[in-house]
Each structure stands twice: as C-alpha cells, then as structure tokens.
Amino acid sequence: MGKGKHLGEFEQAVLLTVAGLRGPGTSRGIYDALIRAADRDVSVASVHVTLTRLAAKGYVDTHSKPGRGGNSRHVQHFELTATGGAALNAAREQWDRLWASAQSHPAVRQE
Amino acid sequence: MSERSPRIASALLRILMGREHARAILDDLDEIFDEHRLRRGRAWAWRWYWRQVVASVPASVRVRMGRAGAGSEGRVGNVMEILQAALRQVRRTPQMSMAIIAVLAVGVAANSAVLSIVSGVLLDPLPYEDPKELALLRVDRPETANHPLVSGMEYYAFRNADWVTDAAAVTMQFDMPLSAADESLNVPIVGVTSNLFSMLGVQPILGAGFPQDGTMDARSVLLTWELWQNHFGGDPDLIGRSVIFGEASYRILGILPAGFRLLLSEDTGVTPDVGAFFPSRVAEGNPNFATFRVIARLSTDVDRANQGAVAVGRALASQSPEALADGRSYRLVALHSDLVSGVRSGLMVLLAEVGLLMLVACMNAAGLLLAWSGGEGRQLAVRAALGASPARLRVQIMAASGILTAIAAVVGVGLGTWLMNTGLSLYPESVPRVDELTLDGRALGMSIALAGAVALAFGVFPALQVGRTNPHSVLRSSSTLASRPSRTRYSLVVGQVALSVVLLVGAGLMVQTTTNLRGIPLGFEPSGLATAQVVAPRSDGGFWRFYEELATTLEDVQGVSSVSAVSRTPLMEVGDVEIMPYHAVGDETTGGLADVRWVMPGYFDTMGTRFLEGGGFSGNEVADMLPVVVIDEQVARNLWPGETALGRELMVPAVWGGDPTLARVVGVVEHARLTGLRGPGRAQVFRSVSLTPFGVMTVLVRSSLERNEVFRILHQAASDLGARNVVDEWTANEIVEAATARTRLIATLLVSLAFAAVLVSLVGLYGLLTFLAQRRTGEVGVRMALGARRWQVERRYVAEGLQLVAFGLAFGLGIAWVSGGLIASLLFGVEAGDPRTFVAMAALYVAVAALACYVPARRAALTDPAAVLRSDA
C-alpha cells in the first residue's frame, strides 16, 4: 500500500464526518460536525486543506452550488464517493484487526 | 455582515495559505466569526479568529510544500533535488550572487564582532561568585572626584556597616623581582586582606588560601596559575616551599585557578597581570594614609548602600574631623560598571555605528536581491510555462536565498573572527578582559538572523510573483529586464547614502580628535626621553646619593644629554596623585590645590619644560633654612597675576606634616600636561627631593640613543650602584601614545566602518545607475541619433545619480546632527556638530559618488545609436 492510499488519522476523521452527513455538505458544515464529534479544536484551514486533498485522491466529490439566500457566492459541497467508502472500510478492517489482537490485554476495555 | 473580521489576521491567512485556498477558508471563517461575535461577544470572536489563523500554519506548510495540490504532479520532490536546482540558480548569476554574499558577509562579520565585544565587556558578569553584589568604594573629595583610595579607618567603617556582608582591601600594586630558577623577573604584586578570595568565591586549585582565623603569615604568598605555569613549570610540589621575592623569602600557600584575575578599573592602578598576592593587614587608626582600594560585598542593592554610605561618612567625619571632615562623600559603584566605565561610551558609539553599517549592508543586499529577482522572474516564467509547478519554483527560489545567506554566514563568521582578533591585538589594553573575548554565539546568531531575514524578505519577492504573473505576458515582452526600478530600489540607495554619511561624519570627527590630541602642547618634549622606575638600595637616608650618582654615571655616557629623576612618571599616575593646598602668605582665601612632584636637579631641562622665570633646584636645599619651590604658570597667575613671582613667598604644607610653612619661589615653568592629555589639569608645584629622599623614583634620561640601548645602560648603571630593581621602562613617546590608544582605536574602527559603508553604498548607487543605463539604451540611442552630444548624455546620468546622493546627504547630515550627543563625550577639540566636518564629509562623499555615477554614465554615452536603431527598440 503506497502512501498515497493511506488514510491519516485526521483524514479519516474528516472523511467519516463527510460520510455521516445526510447528503453533500459544505466545508463549514463538516467543520461544525467535526468539532462537535471530536471534541477538540481544529482549524478551519486544516479542514479545508484536508478536504482538498481527499478530493484530489478521489475519496470525496466536490461540486459548486449557489450559496444560501440567493447569495451570488458559490460554495463547494463535498460528498463521499464509492472509493472513499472503500478506503474507510479498508481502514476500519485494519483497525479491527489491531483491536482484536489487543483484546487479550487486561488494560484494554473488553467488548 | 455587520462587522468586519480582523483585517490583519485575514491578510496573514491569505499570505499563509495562498490565494486560491484562502478564499474558501476566509468565507467560512468570516461566517463563523459573525456567529461567535453575536453569541459570545466581539473580544471572544477576535481571539478565536486569531487562534484560527495561527493554527493554520501547519496546514499552510502542507499547502506550500505542494502536498495539498492535485495529486503527484503538484509535489515538490525531494529536498536534494530542490537544493541542487537552487544551487544551479545561484551559480547561473555568479557576479550577482557573489555581490550579495559579500555584502551580507561584511555586515554579519562587523556586526557580530562588535556585538561580541560589547556583550563580552559590558554584559558578561565578572567571573566571581554573585558578582552583582560586589562594589568598589569611591570617594568624592573636594580636590579629586571619584577617587578609588581610602584609609584604613574608612575601610573598617565600611566593612562594619550592617549592609556590607564583607569587604576586602587591596594595597598599591608594584613590581617585585622574583628569583626563580636561573632567571629573575619582575612580577606585579599586590597586598590584599586575607578575606579577599573567600569574598570573591575563589578557591585555590592547589594548596590553601589565606587563613581566615585572624592568624596571618606575612611571609606567605598566593601565586596565579599563569605565573606557576610559566615560571615554575606547573610544579605541584611547590606548595609549602619558599621563593625569593625582592630580598625576602615567602612561603607559597597555594595556586589560584587558571584565568583568575583581580579586575579593577584602570584608575585603581591594579592591573589584571598581577602574578602574586601577599597577605596584608590594614592598620585601623590612621585616617591620613589613603592607600587602600576597597571591594565590598553588599547585602543590599547599590542605591540603598549609597544611602547607607552617607551615614557612614557622617560618622567618619565626626570620628576624625581633622582628616575626614573635608566635605568628602562616599559612593559604592557596582564592580562591573566601575570596571567598564572608561570604555562604555566608546563601545556604545561603536555599537551604534556598526548597526548603521549593518543597515547599509542589508539595504544594499535588498537592492541586489530585487535586481536579481527582476532577472530571475523571466527565467521562472519560462519554467512555469514549461509546466513546472509554481509551488516547487517558490520553494526553490527561497532555497536559493537561503543558500546565499548560509554562505554569507560562513564567510561572515570567518571574517568576524579575523576582524575581532586583529582589531583587539592591535590595541590589547584598550578594553578590560580583552583575552576573554571570543565571537559570541548569540551575537553571531542575531547578525545571521538579520541577514537571513533580509535575504528571505527580498528573495521571496520573485517567489511570490511566480504563479501570479501570467507566463505568456512575461514571455511576450521583449525585454529581459523588469520594466523600471521600483521606488523601493531608489529609497534603498538613498538610505544607504544617508547612513554612510552619518558614519563618515563620525569618522571625520574622531580623526580630528586624534589629530587634536596629537597637537596638544605638552609642556615637555617626549622625543628622546626615556623613563624607568628605579628602586634604590636599602640604606638609611642614602637614597638621594644613589640617584645623584646614577645621574652622574649616565650623563657620562656618549649620547646622553641629561638625566634627572621625579617622584611620578608623567601621564602614568593611577589613583594616588599627591595633591596639596597652597595659599598666599597671610591670605588663606587666595590659593588652591596643586599637584606636587618631587624632583632632582636638572628635571626641567631633562623633561624639556621651559622656564618662564628663574631656574631649578640646586640639590642643596636641605642646607638652606627656607624651603624653595618651583611653580607653574597657573600658580603664578593665581597668586600674583601680572606680576613677577620670582623670589616671592607662599604657604605650602611642611615636608613632614604639621602647619603650613613658608616657601620661596626660585623658578616659574610653563604648565605641562603631566596627568592627562584631555584637560590642562591642576596647577603644579615642584619641590626638591633633597628635602625628603624617596626610595623609588622615576629616572628620566634624555639622549639620542636607541630605546634598547638607553635601557641597557640604565640597567647596567643602576645594578652597578646596587639598585634593587628597575621596572616600568617606557619611552615618553610610548607613554603619550598609550594615553591616546583608546581614542585612536575608536578612530581606526570608525574610519574602517565608514569606509566599508561608503564603499557598499557606492556599489549600490553604481548598480542602480548601471541598471538604469542598460534599460534606457534605446532612449539614449535615439537621443544621440537626434544629435545629443556624449557629454550631455553623461551629464544627465551623473545628475540623476547625484540627485539621489543629495537626498541621502540631506537625511544623513540631519541624522548626524541629531545624534551628535552620542559621540560628543569621545571628542576633543571639535564639536559634535562641527559645520566644517559636516561640509568636508559631504563634499568627500559627493566627490566619490560622482565618480561612481560617472562610470555607468560614460558607458551609456558610448552607446552606438546605429546599433540601437537597428535593433527592435
């Protein structure tokens, strides 16, 4: 697996947030959902940069739509692609395998 | 949107993230900012916004490194590739790169060298335990301010003050012959109270210190590590053994750590080269003999201590009204600031001036970098058009600036070290602790950072252009040069001219100061005069005879014209000047204070001091009942203005103390500068040494002999007559030179700094005009085709250059005028705002600047109109 396909932790979090939205989301919406779920401070810029990168990898689809309230400003919307879903599934399997092997350790909470 | 978000923050974010990313991010940020502002208040929202911008830095790094771009083609590639590309870029423009490196290196070198000296001398704490608590006791007496010597009574009074933890006294320093192995050498020694070393927190590395229990072996000694190494070969068995100092044997108690020195300011007469310390007791009672330098460890700060000193002074005055109630007051001066007080103003001037040079260098480098970027712009556009990623090109050009700075830094370190070592070795005694000085890491870091900031700021200019300009437009334009020099480049040149003129004025003032010091009428003739302190053999009252015989013997030598002796070497006194009051007979209000010198017959002829009236001493003064004096013109003017002083009488202190006695004037001499060059000094009274023979005198020899030859025969004659020692051999010329050494050092440094700055600024001017001339080749060609003469073209360019110079001069002379106060304390015989210097330096600058303008002007005028018209212009 090349580095290009690997999902970093933050990328995974952003991608999961995109997946959790019902339908396409704006970077603003993704940012809000992410800080609610992750319970930590992240920068708008890093969310934006990560979304751009995920788009470049083909994990999210982007398309522009006119903004709310007849605002002439066009806003980017992001949506999970099939490849993105597959990448999330692959990452999850990887994590699951690691979790399974860690189950035997007494300090790890049992399922 | 009802309120604007922080504008600076959003501008910063735009710079960090680049235009295309920034737009989307700023939209989100502004939206969230508004919500926060309504919900949590304006201040909170502002803080949040700023935090967001700061938190964008990691994301911006990813963007800038190209990783956020579209896939692998946006990648920057590995570091080595970038560095190689950057190196190629540097090498493609060798002259420009060399110029940038040279200018930055000179700036880094000069700046870091001077910063190192300043921080080493002024800031580095003294190498003692808790050095901030140490202070030197000084006395302001009516006759001498800032005097470093006090009596035993005063020492104990301060030692017992409750705000003093401990206090040590140091006696006068003198040279003692040490008989070690087969050689005999003179070692500078001092006596110290036994608590000195424990108070300073200095432990002997071998043996023991002086006992602290009140017992004292007067025949014991502590040696410095250097003396132990150089003259005893570092023999560890030396402890407990005896050595012969002078004529007595002393037991070696211990060896002080390597590098230990007793650091006291120059006027205490204690030099850092003291090699042996003898234990000394301070006699408590006598308030009259002020021979001790007192170092105190304070338990409070200096200000509070000085309030305490007033009380101690009052107690002392009532305790010994006849000796100490003369209006004197005491001060404690932090030991470090006392040590550097003589050099501080000079160093501060130097620091300011080198800062100016650094600024000139930075401005010059900035101009060069801008010109460089103008040339590189096209190159980069070509590459961008060929498909290179803008991000990569940006990183590459930043790397190129970085490489230039790095090379400049390396060259600067080498040059700085060299500058510092040569500079200081020229004037080894010019600043205290000179041997401790090395190129300081922080100073170097600061200078390099400054150079790096300039290189980045101006080198990044082209980097930012990449990707912003349309490659097509750059490629379509026929010129390879930027359209016109920016206003920034003009102002950079004007700035360089201005600051170099400031340096030039400073240098001019210092040079005049040294010439003025050299031209002072000394009142004696230093050429051909040799001096040495000769210690007479121990014999009761036979001192006089010894010096008389020595003089007679020496005067018989071929080439020696006259020999005499005096109680103090001219211009060499340190602290213990002998001062006495004098007044008119029957009128105590007419009189004053005078320096006293005890002299042998022939003193005035040997010194070359002219008699205005009468003559010198005969040597038979003891036989005469009435003591006689020779006075200088100041005393004569004071007591008998407009009248002859010869044969008149005045009141002077009796030779052996007690009430003032009558003395008759046998001669009046011109005033000589015997205590310092910068001021006339006190009035002088000379008395015949036959009245009170001295065991140590400075022998003066006027001869036509070589330096070495004079001292050889002096040594020979002195030891033949049984002299115990001959020390401090100086020609009078050397003494005069030494008295002006520091001024000359500053003058030398300022002249070199000014030279460097002028050179750099001229290069800047030259570069700008060359640029202009190249750009206007077409225009010049057309003009000449239309009949303009060569000189007209030349004149036009020179005029343009001189216009910039005129601007710079106006600023520079203004700055020099306003900042004159800084240098004023270093000057002698010339005002800081001296109009003649200002005009002369401005004229000098205009002259060389005209030359720097003429060369590119001439080249422009050599343009072949036909060639230009044929080309596409």
Side-chain angles (χ1 to χ4, degrees), chain A residues 27-28 31 41-46 48-50 52-53 56 68 73, chain B residues 17 21 24-25 27-29 31-32 35 48 52 55-56 62-63 69:
Chain A
S27 59
R28 167 71 209 278
Y31 167 78
D41 224 3
V42 296
S43 74
V44 173
S46 65
H48 173 85
V49 168
T50 307
T52 317
R53 186 164 55 226
R68 284 171 299 182
R73 183 182 116 195
Chain B
M17 301 303 298
H21 287 289
I25 296 169
D27 284 346
D28 283 349
L29 281 180
E31 207 177 301
I32 305 174
E35 291 174 15
W48 173 85
Q52 279 287 328
S56 311
R62 282 204 300 274
V63 170

Side-chain angles (χ1 to χ4, degrees), chain B residues 69-87:
Chain B
S72 58
E73 75 275 14
R75 291 270 172 85
V76 169
N78 70 37
V79 177
M80 281 317 291
E81 277 174 30
I82 294 173
L83 280 181
Q84 279 164 0
L87 261 177

Side-chain angles (χ1 to χ4, degrees), chain B residues 738-872:
Chain B
T740 59
R742 190 168 288 155
T743 306
R744 281 180 299 125
L745 170 66
I746 293 173
T748 314
L749 288 172
L750 291 204
V751 168
S752 358
L753 290 177
F755 181 76
V758 167
L759 202 66
V760 166
S761 70
L762 290 182
V763 170
L765 191 61
Y766 173 90
L768 185 65
L769 285 177
T770 307
F771 179 85
L772 281 177
Q774 281 173 359
R775 218 181 53 72
R776 294 191 191 143
T777 316
E779 184 192 321
V780 172
V782 173
R783 274 167 185 273
M784 292 183 73
L786 291 177
R789 311 296 296 265
R790 189 173 285 171
W791 63 268
Q792 285 171 320
V793 173
E794 284 171 6
R795 195 181 61 175
R796 195 170 154 245
Y797 279 98
V798 173
E800 194 160 358
L802 289 183
Q803 208 178 330
L804 290 178
V805 170
F807 271 124
L809 280 179
F811 281 119
L813 294 178
I815 298 171
W817 176 267
V818 170
S819 62
L822 186 64
I823 201 173
S825 68
L826 303 177
L827 301 180
F828 178 81
V830 57
E831 296 286 317
D834 180 43
R836 285 207 339 254
T837 312
F838 275 58
V839 171
M841 291 301 127
L844 177 65
Y845 194 90
V846 170
V848 285
L851 203 65
C853 298
Y854 179 72
V855 178
R858 181 167 170 74
R859 204 177 305 144
L862 288 174
T863 309
D864 176 6
V868 171
L869 294 176
R870 266 197 305 276
S871 82
D872 63 353

Side-chain angles (χ1 to χ4, degrees), chain B residues 259-324:
Chain B
F260 170 80
R261 281 163 311 160
L262 190 53
L263 294 165
L264 296 177
S265 55
E266 265 173 351
D267 69 341
T268 61
V270 176
T271 54
D273 59 352
V274 166
F277 295 86
F278 293 84
S280 180
R281 231 191 266 286
V282 176
E284 184 152 3
N286 197 332
N288 284 314
F289 288 102
T291 57
F292 300 105
R293 296 121 190 97
V294 174
I295 307 169
R297 185 174 284 285
L298 308 177
S299 58
T300 173
D301 59 82
V302 173
D303 287 340
R304 199 100 33 90
N306 279 324
Q307 291 165 17
V310 176
V312 175
R314 231 176 273 130
L316 276 167
S318 62
Q319 200 180 339
S320 176
E322 71 287 351
L324 301 179

